[in-house]
Amino acid sequence: MTRGAVARVNRKVLFVFGTRPEAIKLAPVIEALRGRVAVRVCVTAQHRTMLDQVLSVFRITPDIDLGLMRPDQDLYDLTAAATLALRPVMQEERPRLVVVQGDTTTTFAASLAAFYAQTEVAHVEAGLRTYDKRHPFPEEINRRITSVLADWHFAPTPWARENLVRERIAPQRVFVTGNTGIDALLGVVRRLQKRELDPALPPKLLESFANRKVVLVTGHRRESFGPGFERICRALRDLVEREPEVVVVYPVHLNPRVREPVFRWLGTHPRIELLEPLEYVPFVALMLRADVILTDSGGIQEEAPSLPKPVLVMREKTERPEGVEAGVARLVGTNPERIVASVQELLHDSSVYRSMTAHENPYGDGHAAQRIAELIEQIVQGVVEPTLKD
Ligand code: UD1
Ligand code: UDP
């Protein structure tokens, strides 16, 4: 190839993301790719505060910020706004490859916008499935549509890869990489342990944990809005009533559909600490201090086994069955009796506790971003069948 031809090769990789978990899981990939290809970052800012918290921790300055978050935005508005706002981005940036992550509205809209611009899409965390389009809502459909639109698929686990291949996606375009969220987590844990990072948890909060069992809670899923959240709140009240040693600590998601019931039902109990969403480093420090994690979050389900902490998943179905199969996670739904009994079992039966914390993390080994960076580099170089060395 002549020098002139080399200069014309388009090596621009455009990352598009919009929410807290996408930013956490793409930060290690962006870091691993810098210097290898031309990295550009576009945030839709589907989330504002919760996204900015992550951007500052990982020192990412977006090249393009679409500023799309609106209070209590609905799915129609956000999908339309993101798709339209991404049109000029695709036209002006003309990337060789667009990288998206996960299953949010931003993921779906960015994949669609790239497809309309006839630009290839690489999907990080591809192949997760419940095969129930209403659980989780709307994420199951977002990720299925993204798989149809994407050209390259980075599956975190062999099971996720099998799903895609079964859906007739070309096997040579699907790679098992591990989940990049584990890379982010292990990086922060290492730096906390070496005291290079400050856990920055409020001293008063730490005082309230003294000689207590800490149950860390997060919850934000749309399919639980309304009655589901009322049941979750009832469970948390019942738990602290029945267990005088327990402190519940709950950083509350900024979605008003979550905040309204949570503050109304739980705002006054002395052993329920409702917090604002925490920055990633203090949140990791809090997971390390917790005895039990109770959550409906996708990312936290994946992170807990690395710490290792038992995780009870407040959902009826999960697209991450590997944790349940490995015995490090349990599905408890939103039934108050079931939630309380499951937490109590973990608090009082040390053999159950040990059995949920004695396994390797099925979601990753902390090297997913390096694998993905290697593959992306090959893709933009035009290698027809990229391969992983290991
Ligand atoms: C979104 C994703 C979900 C992901 C979650 C991670 C969709 C449809 N949902 O859900 O898959 O698990 O993010 O947290 O893409 N808000 C703020 N400030 C913020 C963030 C949110 O005020 O920094 C409030 C706003 O009122 C906003 C509302 O939360 O309108 C909902 O945000 P949205 O991104 O639409 O949905 P999430 O419930 O956060
Ligand atoms: N997280 C955080 N601060 C919090 C709660 C969660 O930094 O107060 C992190 C958490 O460690 C995980 C990610 O946010 O990496 C999960 O985000 P969320 O639960 O909002 O979304 P999901 O993973 O369910 O899509």
Side-chain angles (χ1 to χ4, degrees):
M1 200 183 271
T2 64
R3 289 185 73 157
V6 170
R8 278 196 298 274
V9 171
N10 180 355
R11 292 167 59 86
K12 189 192 279 188
V13 175
L14 177 67
F15 285 79
V16 183
F17 55 94
T19 67
R20 170 171 70 189
E22 294 163 81
I24 291 170
K25 289 170 169 178
L26 285 177
V29 185
I30 292 170
E31 193 181 306
L33 263 180
R34 284 209 196 274
R36 297 169 80 157
V37 298
V39 171
R40 299 277 289 171
V41 173
C42 168
V43 294
T44 61
Q46 172 180 336
H47 284 176
R48 185 73 277 168
T49 314
M50 288 161 55
L51 174 73
D52 292 346
Q53 284 181 326
V54 180
L55 295 177
S56 67
V57 174
F58 290 101
R59 298 207 178 88
I60 295 171
T61 308
D63 300 292
I64 303 154
D65 187 331
L66 300 175
L68 294 183
M69 200 208 83
R70 300 288 175 272
D72 208 6
Q73 63 210 357
D74 76 10
L75 296 172
Y76 299 91
D77 283 332
L78 181 59
T79 306
T83 310
L84 285 174
L86 284 164
R87 173 172 50 195
V89 175
M90 296 299 157
Q91 288 168 345
E92 284 157 29
E93 291 288 319
R94 297 182 174 279
R96 163 69 179 82
L97 185 72
V98 169
V99 181
V100 297
Q101 196 284 336
D103 54 19
T104 69
T105 296
T106 293
T107 316
F108 158 45
S111 309
L112 186 65
F115 172 69
Y116 285 165
Q118 303 205 44
T119 301
E120 287 189 16
V121 175
H123 186 202
V124 176
E125 198 183 81
L128 279 59
R129 297 287 185 269
T130 60
Y131 291 108
D132 174 344
K133 68 180 182 185
R134 293 189 174 80
H135 290 91
F137 176 87
E139 290 82 4
E140 174 71 9
I141 288 299
N142 285 346
R143 70 169 81 95
R144 281 203 237 168
I145 298 174
T146 302
S147 294
V148 172
L149 295 167
D151 300 275
W152 304 97
H153 311 258
F154 303 133
T157 64
W159 177 79
R161 181 177 192 277
E162 279 164 30
N163 291 334
L164 294 165
V165 172
R166 215 181 311 114
E167 292 168 20
R168 306 187 63 147
I169 289 173
Q172 66 275 21
R173 286 176 170 253
V174 187
F175 302 89
V176 178
T177 59
N179 198 305
T180 56
I182 306 303
D183 303 25
L185 176 74
L186 295 182
V188 166
V189 169
R190 253 191 315 272
R191 293 176 67 200
L192 278 170
Q193 282 163 349
K194 287 194 204 157
R195 296 178 193 277
E196 289 170 10
L197 286 174
D198 179 0
L201 284 170
K204 271 200 145 176
L205 183 70
L206 292 172
E207 275 166 35
S208 75
F209 295 166
N211 304 317
R212 301 237 199 247
K213 297 284 185 191
V214 176
V215 177
L216 170 60
V217 180
T218 80
H220 68 83
R221 299 244 78 88
R222 276 180 159 74
E223 65 270 20
S224 295
F225 286 177
F229 265 92
E230 290 195 8
R231 287 196 295 271
I232 290 170
C233 292
R234 184 137 47 84
L236 298 177
R237 283 199 81 98
D238 288 353
L239 176 69
V240 286
E241 293 303 328
R242 286 189 219 169
E243 295 290 332
E245 298 295 294
V246 162
V247 174
V248 164
V249 55
Y250 185 168
V252 187
H253 193 286
L254 291 179
N255 195 327
R257 309 284 169 117
V258 175
R259 294 176 82 76
E260 192 283 318
V262 168
F263 280 93
R264 181 159 49 85
W265 285 68
L266 304 177
T268 54
H269 197 286
R271 274 182 295 111
I272 300 181
E273 302 276 358
L274 300 183
L275 310 177
E276 292 304 309
L278 287 171
E279 289 197 2
Y280 188 54
V281 174
F283 187 75
V284 172
L286 192 53
M287 287 196 283
L288 285 166
R289 171 60 186 86
D291 294 284
V292 176
I293 300 178
L294 193 53
T295 188
D296 64 14
S297 160
I300 297 169
Q301 275 176 76
E302 294 156 348
E303 291 168 340
S306 282
L307 299 173
K309 301 289 171 177
V311 61
L312 301 174
V313 182
M314 296 187 289
R315 299 201 202 176
E316 304 305 331
K317 291 185 179 161
T318 180
E319 65 281 25
R320 294 165 169 92
E322 296 91 339
V324 178
E325 279 158 22
V328 294
R330 279 189 189 173
L331 284 182
V332 295
T334 56
N335 176 294
E337 286 74 35
R338 190 153 167 225
I339 293 174
V340 174
S342 305
V343 177
Q344 285 182 309
E345 189 184 20
L346 280 166
L347 294 177
H348 299 298
D349 188 333
S350 55
S351 66
V352 175
Y353 195 95
R354 270 198 307 276
S355 78
M356 286 191 74
T357 49
H359 304 275
E360 271 184 21
N361 190 327
Y363 298 108
D365 60 1
H367 300 290
Q370 280 302 336
R371 294 187 188 104
I372 291 172
E374 196 180 308
L375 290 164
I376 288 179
E377 200 176 9
Q378 293 177 53
I379 292 165
V380 299
Q381 280 167 350
V383 174
V384 179
E385 292 211 2
T387 46
L388 277 172
K389 280 193 205 97
D390 54 330

